[in-house]
Structures are given as structure tokens and as C-alpha cells.
């Protein structure tokens, strides 16, 4: 570490974010490496190091001979200020080398509010923002993650997007890059070849035209570009790569523990949930393999906490036997086990007893809506009786804290549905009063609401978001009807949800807005310390675009959607049918009870079947 960096670190908050050198970090000999990858997470170290996908890709790429993958995170404002003052470019955390010297820069995109940080990091690296301005001397800039399912708002800045699960396609892309460099291909030749790899979307190979009313007229592929780019999935998830030897951070992070991914996909089909559709079909890991991986990961890291990760962990069929296998090792070794993503319709006494072996932390359930009609409309497949049964089980077992998550502004929602949230919270509190064996500590029911954000590739991708004013009216209605000292109510900021909705379903023209806002200081928009909606509104005005056109406008079935050239494998006609069933408040059975014919199983190799 040179004197300049030493001086900078003495003046910034949490310097351990920027030093590297953590236990299990991978440092390679530069002379034995021919391809260097900067794996970039456009948020703080604490957030990025908690991301399981980052850990998987980091470990996977570093097992490739001749490839060195390093981590890059967004520096907080104080660090960025010092870096710009001292002329210090964005660097890889393992080597300290400038990112501009790397071959590939890969962004992990999990949240639209991080888009301004993508531009900020490109600028800190000294790279041209727009892909059209970069040439063979610059790193190839790629991006993947959930947000890649609508690549258009970032399309002018990214060379190519990776859709779906990255374990296999990342290796294929690196192999192609090495071949292109050996043979002296042009950047365009590389991109044309990359477009032939299933799961890779090259935005510069598609021309977007617009109707007079501002809607998309067509997204036209150039010769050689595929008509449709479908996501990649790992076929045999049970044998897929798992990062046993994970990095141990030098400072506290959000999820500072071993994460065991028990399965991918979701059987439920909630109509608002992008992840539920995007990660289909369901594929599970064998419980014996999970036990082995969990124990090995704890031994390799020294972690004293382990969590089971999935979209809905309690839907994992052998969950209780998995917990038994893990606890057999965890208990004598004083390692705690946590189970997030619990559903209100399958929280059993057996599961509760296993949780008691660890600790009685608060339980979290997500009914999402306050009435059965609306829960049926969104296909939540959870009843009030399910929630009460689970809460009764918990209260009898000694729990006295429950968190309930809901959304406001869901399609077809009425004031009656809003008031149903208050009614449900009161019923849960009354249930505690009737069943809790020990009432000395009191009870705490926490109700949280977020503003519904319509997402691409869901049954509600055509729906409008309610306006900010309407959302706050519903918040006020709920707050005024839920006045009890044992019930706490928290609601999410509607301004960030509004901007999230804009970029979630936006088109390529939003790139100009994004750049204009960034040039006016936009960054870390997921953080209240930095987010400024007025700055964004000025950028929209300067670019001649109305954000309400993207967030608050309903789409017709015939409208060409900006993301129409990418696919999750779930058919559009299936999503439209689910939308129609939502308006009729008719549920669709989960995949375990009946295959819904969504199309995602076609992604599996012939002869294989979805785990569920």
C-alpha cells in the first residue's frame, strides 16, 4: 500500500471496505494470468459481499486456469471524493490495479436504483460511459442479474447482457473472449460471435423505433442477431458450483454468514413476483450434499452462523431432515441456523421445534394483501387461517414478535383491502393474547408496506403503478385504522418506488435521463442520504420524457414491450392469462399440485423434469 492510499484511508469511514486482503481472497501471479475479470457490484462493500451470486461467480472464475477475477465495489462518497482528488482510479480489491487494465468488467444488477452507480463506476475507472465510444483498448463491459431481464435502460452503456444463471455462460463467454484476442478479432466481431451464445443479449445489434405516441414500434435485430434471447439455467443444480471456500470480510457486512442455496425457482406463481417467474423451473439440491457443503463452508471460514437460502425455503420438501442433519453438527459447534423466507401456510410445529434449538428471533410472514379476495387475485395461495395457524404455533412455542409484510397499490386493490391489513394485524395480536403461555414480555406486531412496482416478465407487467399521492392516501388510511401500542407500522418511501417503476419497464431512451441525472450528481439512489427525486425530475424534463409514461400508464396486450427480445422461458400468453385470472380473483394451483404449462420446463434438457 502506497503513502497516497494510506493517507486516504485515514480520512474515510470504514477503510476496511477498500483494503482487500481478506481471508480466502484469491491473489494470483500476474505472469500466469492471461484474462482478468473485474466483478463489479454497484453498491457498497457491505451489500455486495452479502450477495451469493457474487460469491459463486468469484469462486467459479478463479478456478479457471489463467483467469483472475477480482472484486470491485462502489466507494462511498467520502472515498470517491478522495479518489478523485488524488487522481486514484477505480481498482481491483485483490491487486490494487486499475480496472481499466482488466479485460472484462462485469456488473451485477439486482436493483434498478443502482443504475446511476454503474455510470459512476465506469467514470471512476476512466472508461467512456457509452459502449459506442469504447474500442478494443477498453475492457469488455457486461452485466447480468435480475435487472438484465429488461436491459434497455442501460443498453447504450453495456456491451452485452447475460440473462439467467451465470455459472455456465460466463465460462463460455470467457473462452470466446480468449479466442477472439488470440486471433485478433475486432470488437464488433466478438460481439457478433457472443450473440450466438444462448443467453447473451448484445443491445447494439438491435434497433429500436418508436410510435408517434412514444410507445415502442419495433425492436429489430440486425442480420446475425437472434430474434429472441432466452435465459440460461443450470441443468443439474444439485452438482452445480458452490463456493465452499468463501471470503471472510474484514468488516461487518449485511449477511455475514454461510449461505446454503437449497433450491432455485419457486412453485408458487405469485403474479407480482419477477423472481418467481424468472428463476423457473424449480431445481433442488440433495439434503446430504447441502449438509456436507454447509459444514465445509463453516470450517473454511470460521463463520458461526448459517442460513438456508431460496425464494421460499419452507417449500423445500426435505427441510426438516436437512435441519436435523445440519443441527447435528451445528449445535455442538455452536453454529446457529436461520431459516428465512417462511410461508404462512407451512410453518409446522416440527419446524418450530427445530428453530427453538437455535434462538427465538422474530418470525416474518408475507401475506402481501389484507383480504382473501386480493390474495387470490395476486395468487398468493395463503389464507387467513394459514396465517393464524402459523402464528398460533409460534405463540404457543414462546414467540412474541411477528413481522408482517404487505404491498399497497396492487392491481384491483380497494380501500377494503387496505383496511383488511389493519384487521389482520389486530387479529394476530388478539391471537397472541389468547394463546401465549407467557405474556410478561408483551407482544410486538410489526406491519410493513411497500409500494407495488410492476415488473417485466410477470403477470402484472402491463399494469400501472398507483401515483405517489394515491399510495400515501392508502398509507394514511391504514395508519389511522391501526392504532395500538403493540402494533408498529412502517411504510416504504414512494419516491424510490416510483423511480424503480420507471426504470423497471423503461426503454432505451431512459439512458439519456440516466446520464443527465448522473452528471448532476445522482449516485447511491437506493440510499436516502443521496437520493433526490427532484434531480431526477429535472433530468426527465431536460430529456423531454415524462416518467409517469413509464410508471403510471397501463399497457395494452398489443403494445410492443421494450424487453420483447429477451425471454425467461415463461410464455407471454401464459402471463396474460394469469393477468386475466387476477381480475377474476381466481387462483392458479402451485407447480407441486399441478403443472401450469408456463413453458419454463422446456428449458430443461430432454428427459429431465422439474424437481417439483
Amino acid at each position: 500500500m502506497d503513502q497516497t492510499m494510506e493517507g486516504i484511508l485515514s480520512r474515510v469511514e470504514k477503510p476496511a471496505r477498500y483494503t482487500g486482503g481478506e481471508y480466502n481472497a484469491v491473489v494470483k501471479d500476474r505472469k500466469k494470468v492471461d484474462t482478468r475479470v473485474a466483478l463489479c457490484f454497484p453498491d457498497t462493500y457491505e451489500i455486495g459481499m452479502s450477495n451469493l451470486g457474487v460469491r459463486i461467480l468469484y469462486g467459479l472464475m478463479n478456478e479457471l486456469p489463467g483467469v483472475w477475477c477480482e472484486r470491485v465495489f462502489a466507494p462511498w462518497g467520502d472515498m470517491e471524493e478522495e479518489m478523485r482528488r488524488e487522481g486514484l482510479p477505480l481498482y481491483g480489491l485483490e491487486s490494487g490495479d486499475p480496472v481499466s487494465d482488466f479485460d472484462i468488467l462485469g456488473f451485477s444488477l439486482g436493483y434498478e436504483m443502482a443504475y446511476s452507480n454503474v455510470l459512476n463506476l465506469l467514470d471512476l475507472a476512466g472508461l467512456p460511459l457509452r459502449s459506442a465510444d469504447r474500442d478494443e483498448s477498453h475492457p469488455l463491459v457486461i452485466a447480468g442479474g435480475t435487472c438484465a431481464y429488461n436491459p434497455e435502460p442501460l443498453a447504450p452503456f453495456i456491451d452485452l447482457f447475460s440473462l439467467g444463471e451465470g455459472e455456465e455462460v460466463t465460462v463460455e463467454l470467457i473462452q470466446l473472449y480468449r479466442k477472439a484476442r488470440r486471433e485478433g478479432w475486432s470488437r464488433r466481431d466478438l460481439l457478433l460471435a457472443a450473440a450466438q451464445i444462448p443467453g447473451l443479449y448484445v443491445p447494439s445489434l438491435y434497433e429500436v423505433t418508436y410510435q408517434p405516441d412514444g410507445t415502442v414500434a419495433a425492436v429489430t435485430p440486425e442480420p446475425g442477431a437472434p430474434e429472441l434471447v432466452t435465459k440460461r439455467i443450470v441443468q443439474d443444480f444439485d452438482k452445480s458450483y458452490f463456493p465452499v471456500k468463501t471470503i471472510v470480510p474484514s468488516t461487518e457486512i449485511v449477511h455475514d454468514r454461510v449461505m446454503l442455496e437449497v433450491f432455485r425457482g419457486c412453485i408458487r406463481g405469485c403474479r407480482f413476483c419477477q423472481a418467481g417467474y424468472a428463476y423457473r423451473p424449480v431445481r433442488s439440491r440433495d439434503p446430504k450434499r447441502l449438509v456436507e457443503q454447509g459444514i465445509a463452508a463453516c470450517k473454511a471460514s470460521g463463520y458461526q452462523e448459517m442460513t438456508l437460502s431460496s425464494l421460499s425455503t419452507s417449500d423445500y420438501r426435505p427441510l426438516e431432515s436437512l435441519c436435523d442433519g445440519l443441527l447435528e453438527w451445528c449445535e455442538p459447534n455452536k453454529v446457529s441456523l436461520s431459516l428465512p423466507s417462511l410461508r404462512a401456510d407451512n410453518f409446522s410445529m416440527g419446524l418450530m421445534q427445530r428453530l427453538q434449538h437455535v434462538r427465538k428471533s422474530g418470525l416474518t410472514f408475507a401475506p402481501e394483501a389484507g383480504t382473501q379476495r386480493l390474495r387470490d387475485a395476486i395468487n398468493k395461495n395463503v389464507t387467513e387461517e394459514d396465517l393464524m395457524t402459523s402464528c398460533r404455533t409460534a405463540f404457543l412455542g414462546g414467540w412474541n414478535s411477528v413481522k408482517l409484510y404487505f404491498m399497497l397499490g396492487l392491481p384491483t386493490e380497494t380501500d377494503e383491502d387496505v383496511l383488511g391489513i389493519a384487521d389482520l394485524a389486530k387479529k394476530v395480536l388478539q391471537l397472541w393474547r389468547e394463546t401465549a403461555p407467557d405474556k410478561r414480555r408483551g407482544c410486538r406486531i410489526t406491519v410493513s408496506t411497500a409500494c407495488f412496482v410492476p415488473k417485466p416478465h410477470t403477470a402484472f407487467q402491463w399494469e400501472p403503478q398507483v401515483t405517489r399521492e394515491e399510495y400515501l392516501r392508502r398509507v394514511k388510511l391504514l395508519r389511522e385504522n391501526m392504532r395500538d401500542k403493540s402494533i408498529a407500522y412502517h411504510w416504504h418511501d414512494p419516491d424510490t418506488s416510483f423511480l424503480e417503476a420507471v426504470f423497471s419497464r423503461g426503454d432505451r431512451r431512459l439512458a439519456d435521463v440516466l446520464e443527465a441525472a448522473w452528471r448532476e450528481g445522482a449516485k447511491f439512489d437506493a440510499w436516502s442520504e443521496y437520493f433526490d427525486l427532484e434531480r431526477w425530475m429535472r433530468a426527465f424534463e431536460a430529456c423531454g420524457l415524462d416518467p409517469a409514461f413509464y410508471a403510471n400508464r397501463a399497457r395494452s396486450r398489443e403494445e410492443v414491450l421494450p424487453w420483447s427480445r429477451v425471454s425467461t422461458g415463461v410464455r407471454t400468453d401464459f402471463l396474460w392469462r394469469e393477468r386475466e385470472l387476477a381480475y377474476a380473483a381466481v387462483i392458479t394451483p402451485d407447480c407441486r399440485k399441478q403443472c401450469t404449462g408456463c413453458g419454463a420446463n422446456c428449458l430443461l434438457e430432454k428427459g429431465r423434469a422439474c424437481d417439483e
Side-chain angles (χ1 to χ4, degrees):
M1 184 184 298
D2 61 26
Q3 290 183 344
T4 299
M5 178 61 81
E6 286 185 4
I8 287 176
L9 293 179
S10 68
R11 297 190 295 269
V12 301
E13 178 186 10
K14 298 183 180 179
R17 290 167 165 168
Y18 313 110
T19 57
E22 306 99 320
Y23 185 69
N24 285 339
V26 177
V27 177
K28 296 190 176 184
D29 184 347
R30 292 178 180 83
K31 297 177 182 178
K32 298 179 180 179
V33 170
D34 61 53
T35 303
R36 299 185 67 179
V37 181
L39 184 56
C40 185
F41 194 88
D43 210 319
T44 64
Y45 177 95
E46 294 93 317
I47 304 294
M49 281 298 295
S50 300
N51 185 279
L52 180 58
V54 169
R55 297 188 187 193
I56 291 172
L57 291 177
Y58 177 85
L60 180 73
M61 284 189 275
N62 277 316
E63 289 196 358
L64 298 175
V67 177
W68 186 9
C69 176
E70 300 187 43
R71 297 159 296 143
V72 179
F73 303 102
W76 194 245
D78 56 351
M79 182 63 174
E80 180 189 342
E81 183 179 344
E82 295 287 348
M83 290 172 67
R84 291 190 184 277
R85 179 186 297 118
E86 297 290 344
L88 180 68
L90 192 69
Y91 59 89
L93 207 54
E94 278 71 12
S95 67
D97 294 340
V99 165
S100 57
D101 292 346
F102 285 56
D103 301 294
I104 299 172
L105 172 56
F107 285 98
S108 176
L109 304 174
Y111 187 29
E112 292 83 356
M113 302 304 288
Y115 285 179
S116 56
N117 269 4
V118 172
L119 270 61
N120 204 43
L121 291 173
L122 287 171
D123 184 67
L124 279 169
L127 301 176
L129 297 184
R130 305 225 170 197
S131 57
D133 298 325
R134 297 192 291 267
D135 57 30
E136 286 78 4
S137 68
H138 298 115
L140 185 70
V141 178
I142 68 176
T146 308
C147 290
Y149 288 116
N150 179 16
E152 293 306 292
L154 279 177
F157 309 108
I158 305 298
D159 295 319
L160 62 87
F161 289 86
S162 176
L163 303 179
E165 298 164 5
E167 287 95 328
E168 295 170 357
V169 70
T170 300
V171 176
E172 293 170 19
L173 175 60
I174 290 175
Q175 291 171 340
L176 178 69
Y177 178 87
R178 297 166 104 174
K179 174 181 172 65
R181 187 176 52 195
R182 286 195 307 270
E183 299 179 1
W185 295 5
S186 69
R187 197 176 190 87
R188 179 167 175 81
D189 287 342
L190 170 60
L191 293 176
L192 280 168
Q196 311 312 310
I197 297 177
L200 295 183
Y201 174 75
V202 181
S204 62
L205 302 182
Y206 297 81
E207 180 187 7
V208 183
T209 54
Y210 300 91
Q211 303 278 13
D213 64 359
T215 59
V216 175
V219 183
T220 307
E222 294 184 10
E227 292 285 326
L228 188 69
V229 180
T230 302
K231 74 177 183 186
R232 292 286 292 273
I233 65 168
V234 173
Q235 294 288 332
D236 191 349
F237 178 62
D238 186 43
K239 296 180 181 178
S240 65
Y241 178 82
F242 175 77
V244 169
K245 195 175 180 181
T246 190
I247 295 174
V248 181
S250 300
T251 186
E252 186 178 0
I253 64 175
V254 176
H255 300 300
D256 205 5
R257 60 186 74 107
V258 166
M259 288 182 279
L260 278 183
E261 192 178 12
V262 297
F263 68 88
R264 285 185 185 168
C266 184
I267 66 173
R268 297 292 175 168
C270 297
R271 290 170 179 140
F272 59 85
C273 182
Q274 185 183 50
Y277 289 113
Y279 289 104
R280 293 184 179 197
V282 172
R283 290 143 295 144
S284 301
R285 274 202 175 105
D286 180 79
K288 292 182 180 178
R289 187 183 300 271
L290 286 167
V291 170
E292 293 171 357
Q293 291 174 339
I295 294 173
C298 283
K299 289 180 177 179
S301 64
Y303 274 125
Q304 294 297 300
E305 184 177 355
M306 188 188 309
T307 187
L308 305 185
S309 172
S310 75
L311 291 176
S312 181
T313 303
S314 53
D315 281 329
Y316 181 64
R317 276 177 164 158
L319 178 60
E320 294 191 359
S321 63
L322 170 61
C323 289
D324 288 341
L326 289 170
L327 287 169
E328 185 177 340
W329 182 85
C330 288
E331 286 190 286
N333 288 280
K334 294 181 172 53
V335 173
S336 66
L337 179 67
S338 59
L339 308 177
S341 305
L342 298 175
R343 281 186 59 90
D345 58 347
N346 56 13
F347 180 71
S348 66
M349 180 64 76
L351 185 57
M352 185 203 71
Q353 290 171 342
R354 286 164 176 81
L355 284 172
Q356 283 182 321
H357 282 285
V358 187
R359 59 184 179 187
K360 281 197 185 72
S361 57
L363 293 174
T364 300
F365 298 110
E368 307 291 2
T371 65
Q372 194 58 49
R373 184 207 65 80
L374 188 53
R375 285 193 291 275
D376 289 345
I378 64 175
N379 208 45
K380 183 63 181 179
N381 277 319
V382 167
T383 66
E384 181 178 310
E385 182 180 356
D386 291 330
L387 178 63
M388 293 303 165
T389 298
S390 294
C391 288
R392 179 180 293 106
T393 300
F395 294 151
L396 288 172
W399 269 267
N400 66 338
S401 175
V402 175
K403 295 181 180 179
L404 303 175
Y405 283 100
F406 300 88
M407 279 186 282
L408 291 178
L410 286 161
T412 79
E413 184 180 71
T414 66
D415 284 358
E416 181 181 351
D417 300 311
V418 175
L419 293 173
I421 296 174
D423 184 56
L424 205 55
K426 293 172 186 175
K427 288 180 178 178
V428 171
L429 178 59
Q430 182 59 33
L431 181 67
W432 175 85
R433 289 169 176 160
E434 294 172 357
T435 59
D438 183 0
K439 300 182 177 59
R440 289 174 296 177
R441 291 184 298 160
C443 181
R444 186 69 167 177
I445 309 297
T446 302
V447 173
S448 296
T449 61
C451 185
F452 163 70
V453 176
K455 292 288 185 175
H457 305 286
T458 70
F460 292 154
Q461 65 180 354
W462 296 275
E463 299 299 313
Q465 184 184 60
V466 298
T467 64
R468 177 183 185 277
E469 293 73 23
E470 176 58 22
Y471 171 75
L472 291 176
R473 186 193 69 81
R474 298 184 194 192
V475 166
K476 181 180 179 182
L477 177 65
L478 180 55
R479 187 176 69 242
E480 290 176 345
N481 284 273
M482 201 163 45
R483 297 182 182 278
D484 190 297
K485 64 181 182 179
S486 295
I487 301 177
Y489 176 39
H490 306 290
W491 60 93
H492 189 267
D493 169 36
D495 291 346
T496 53
S497 296
F498 172 64
L499 195 62
E500 180 185 349
V502 170
F503 280 97
S504 172
R505 296 185 301 166
D507 55 48
R508 201 167 289 195
R509 294 171 298 184
L510 288 179
D512 293 340
V513 177
L514 178 57
E515 184 172 348
W518 170 76
R519 292 193 182 281
E520 291 298 319
K523 61 185 174 184
F524 282 112
D525 288 294
W527 296 77
S528 59
E529 297 97 315
Y530 284 96
F531 179 69
D532 182 355
L533 182 62
E534 289 304 314
R535 175 167 46 212
W536 282 97
M537 297 303 287
R538 291 193 299 271
F540 279 106
E541 184 177 2
C543 296
L545 292 174
D546 179 8
F549 175 83
Y550 298 100
N552 308 128
R553 179 180 62 87
R555 273 74 162 161
S556 69
R557 176 69 177 88
E558 294 73 29
E559 182 174 333
V560 177
L561 301 174
W563 53 91
S564 59
R565 292 295 176 185
V566 302
S567 171
T568 65
V570 177
R571 299 193 319 273
T572 302
D573 61 342
F574 170 81
L575 295 175
W576 184 262
R577 187 182 74 207
E578 285 294 298
R579 177 189 178 276
E580 292 178 324
L581 291 175
Y583 276 85
V586 175
I587 64 171
T588 297
D590 67 58
C591 298
R592 186 174 286 167
K593 296 177 181 177
Q594 174 186 323
C595 178
T596 59
C598 71
N601 274 1
C602 294
L603 299 172
L604 294 168
E605 294 172 348
K606 189 175 181 181
R608 294 194 70 242
C610 173
D611 287 355
E612 301 299 340

